[in-house]
């Protein structure tokens, strides 16, 4: 698996923005990726040093379209904390 396949997109919410100052970044990742693979992918893509990775599996919400109902897809979020001596991720610095 390639690093580009593991990290799908960054999460850009108010709670995610609050973590940028303390070098905590949130990403949507592949559902079957483990913490070690996520750590290696972030280090390779952004050239930073990762201290820890926390993951959360989010179940899909129930949605209705008329009389039919279904669920949105499940997804997995990864909260990545960088080491103190690591440089920040440039993509998020331009947003803050």
């Amino acid at each position: 698996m390639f690093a580009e396949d593991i990290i799908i997109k960054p999460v850009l919410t108010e709670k995610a923005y609050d973590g940028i100052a303390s070098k905590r970044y949130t990403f949507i990742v592949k559902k079957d990726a483990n913490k070690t693979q996520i750590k290696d992918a972030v280090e390779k893509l952004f050239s930073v040093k990762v201290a820890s990775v926390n993951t959360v599996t989010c179940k899909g919400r129930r949605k209705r379209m008329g009389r039919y109902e279904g669920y949105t897809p499940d997804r997995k979020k990864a909260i990545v904390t960088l080491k103190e001596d690591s440089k920040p991720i440039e993509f998020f610095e331009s947003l803050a």
Side-chain angles (χ1 to χ4, degrees), residues 27-96:
F27 300 97
I28 300 288
V29 295
K30 205 169 182 170
K31 281 193 292 187
D32 58 348
N34 60 31
K35 291 182 181 187
T36 308
Q37 291 172 332
I38 295 167
K39 177 182 176 182
D40 293 339
V42 170
E43 287 179 345
K44 181 180 176 193
L45 286 176
F46 301 110
S47 302
V48 294
K49 298 177 188 173
V50 174
S52 68
V53 176
N54 296 357
T55 57
V56 179
T57 304
C58 304
K59 299 233 353 141
R61 296 185 306 170
R62 193 168 75 179
K63 292 282 201 166
R64 290 187 50 178
M65 279 293 246
R67 64 181 172 182
Y68 303 105
E69 67 178 41
Y71 288 88
T72 60
D74 296 346
R75 61 187 190 274
K76 187 175 194 176
K77 287 195 302 187
I79 298 106
V80 178
T81 305
L82 302 184
K83 291 184 179 178
E84 291 296 323
D85 59 340
S86 176
K87 66 180 181 78
I89 296 176
E90 294 162 5
F91 172 78
F92 288 97
E93 290 302 313
S94 63
L95 298 173

